[in-house]
Amino acid sequence: MPPTLKDVAERAGVSRSAVSRTFTDGASVSGKMRRRVEKAAAELGYRPNALASSLTTGRTKLIGLVSNNFHNPIFLEVFDLFTRGLQDQGLRPLLVNLSDEIDPENSVQMMRQYSVDGVVVASSTLPPGFAKAFRDAGIPVVRAFGRQTSAPQVHVVGIDNVECGRMAARALVDRGYRRVGFLGGPESATSTQDRLLGFMDELAAHPDIAVSHSFAEAYSFTAGRHEMLRLLKETPAEAYFCGDDVLSIGALSAIEENNLSVPEDIGIIGLNDMAMAGWENINLTTIRQPIQQIVSSTIELMVAMLSDPDRYPEARTFACHVVERGTLRPLDT
């Protein structure tokens, strides 16, 4: 049998309540007592029971990690960073898959059933009101990869998708493309809307450039491939801003299937700079989203909210930049 709290108390020669206080965050215990208990626990190989501790403190240290982007490989990186980062803070991530969910009420009820201490909504496609539903239910919440706003109702951490659209447009203009296209994710996603807005806004200053736009059904390889196959049946643009790396990789597959070359026949620029984008056989020119910084900042805000649930909501925006690889024609030198 594993050692119990009672075994540690007997070994240290203290009361069981003293052992309990030693392993309870914020509980009062003298330095001398703490050292005695920790020494006895180490000798016995004792580890405090997290469930029992939550019954004492009323805190589970569970953080709901809610997302609906499981078809996008970038979120494998996101989930890895979030789970490790939360665990490093002594918190326990609870991953929730909302791939077909748009109503937050079911998720709120689930989080209540698990008695989570907080929720991270990690999605660029769920509507802005989704995270607010957790706040309204009294659950501390941070929205990662959410739509930027000057008056956030919840904490929001992410990028300026409108500016990313402008960056992509400038990259195509600077390389001399005269017919360009936007191939976005779902039309209903705020990330798609904002990236298209920035793209079209920047190109409005270049009336000599022909611009088209279309949308894939999802941020997925299959959806990007399907939409590009459709575009290739018509008169395709010279270059496309695919509003996500996984869409770009699907588009590259469709272009190759039609015996066309990138960037000689069609240029592609993506967004995210996920690990796969740098693979030699893909070599995707893209706009880098600083995933690590976004995740770290989200966790920092969540930890702060656990101490101060009434903390005033803030929006944190991280800068992006173009990563030059091989799917756009080179800049003139």
Side-chain angles (χ1 to χ4, degrees):
M1 294 290 291
T4 65
L5 182 145
K6 178 182 177 182
D7 296 330
V8 176
E10 291 177 351
R11 181 74 167 239
V14 300
S15 67
R16 278 181 280 183
S17 64
V19 177
S20 178
R21 291 198 307 276
T22 298
F23 293 107
T24 299
D25 292 340
S28 176
V29 61
S30 69
K32 181 178 179 181
M33 179 72 73
R34 182 179 298 279
R35 287 189 293 274
R36 285 178 64 181
V37 171
E38 289 178 345
K39 181 175 183 294
E43 291 171 350
L44 292 170
Y46 171 78
R47 295 291 183 273
N49 184 295
L51 179 59
S53 176
S54 70
L55 295 174
T56 301
T57 63
R59 301 286 291 272
T60 63
K61 297 188 177 181
L62 276 172
I63 302 298
L65 180 55
V66 176
S67 184
N68 64 337
N69 292 10
F70 282 70
H71 297 296
N72 192 333
I74 188 66
F75 273 84
L76 294 176
E77 300 176 34
V78 170
F79 297 148
D80 176 56
L81 290 169
F82 263 124
T83 52
R84 287 192 288 120
L86 289 167
Q87 288 164 186
D88 287 345
Q89 293 292 328
L91 301 170
R92 297 193 292 276
L94 175 66
L95 189 58
V96 180
N97 186 342
L98 299 183
S99 291
D100 299 313
E101 185 67 78
I102 57 173
D103 182 359
E105 188 56 34
N106 292 334
S107 304
V108 170
Q109 292 302 321
M110 182 187 298
M111 295 300 98
R112 281 176 165 163
Q113 289 171 357
Y114 282 102
S115 300
V116 299
D117 287 343
V119 169
V120 171
V121 177
S123 171
S124 64
T125 57
L126 287 170
F130 205 95
K132 181 176 177 292
F134 293 99
R135 187 208 68 178
D136 293 345
I139 303 173
V141 60
V142 182
R143 176 69 183 266
F145 308 102
R147 191 178 214 170
Q148 293 303 296
T149 173
S150 58
Q153 296 179 309
V154 301
H155 293 290
V156 180
V157 184
I159 61 174
D160 184 342
N161 281 299
V162 176
E163 177 58 24
C164 285
R166 294 191 183 105
M167 292 172 63
R170 288 194 294 269
L172 300 185
V173 170
D174 290 346
R175 287 161 175 79
Y177 292 109
R178 314 315 293 171
R179 288 183 293 107
V180 302
F182 173 85
L183 195 170
E187 188 173 3
S188 61
T190 58
S191 54
T192 300
Q193 296 165 10
D194 290 347
R195 291 165 192 175
L196 175 59
L197 175 63
F199 189 73
M200 299 300 289
D201 183 65
E202 184 71 26
L203 288 167
H206 301 275
D208 56 323
I209 297 179
V211 187
S212 62
H213 66 274
S214 64
F215 306 99
E217 293 184 355
Y219 280 124
S220 70
F221 172 90
T222 300
R225 173 182 163 80
H226 181 269
E227 181 58 21
M228 181 55 75
L229 286 172
R230 186 189 71 80
L231 291 168
L232 291 173
K233 292 177 181 179
E234 304 170 358
T235 302
E238 295 176 322
Y240 288 90
F241 169 38
C242 297
D244 185 277
D245 285 353
V246 70
L247 292 177
S248 302
I249 295 170
L252 290 172
S253 172
I255 292 167
E256 181 181 3
E257 182 177 309
N258 278 264
N259 297 315
L260 297 171
S261 298
V262 175
E264 289 79 8
D265 296 311
I266 297 177
I268 297 289
I269 181 171
L271 192 153
N272 273 333
D273 194 29
M274 64 183 186
M276 194 184 301
W279 292 0
E280 186 175 347
N281 64 321
I282 295 175
N283 198 30
L284 177 68
T285 300
T286 188
I287 297 171
R288 184 177 186 275
Q289 179 171 203
I291 302 293
Q292 174 72 70
Q293 292 94 321
I294 291 171
V295 170
S296 297
S297 185
T298 300
I299 293 172
E300 177 187 321
L301 282 171
M302 176 53 65
V303 170
M305 285 197 75
L306 296 180
S307 300
D308 180 12
D310 297 324
R311 182 186 174 104
Y312 195 77
E314 64 177 287
R316 296 184 177 181
T317 306
F318 289 85
C320 299
H321 66 271
V322 174
V323 178
E324 300 283 355
R325 293 199 181 98
T327 56
L328 289 183
R329 65 174 63 146
L331 285 164
D332 293 334
T333 56

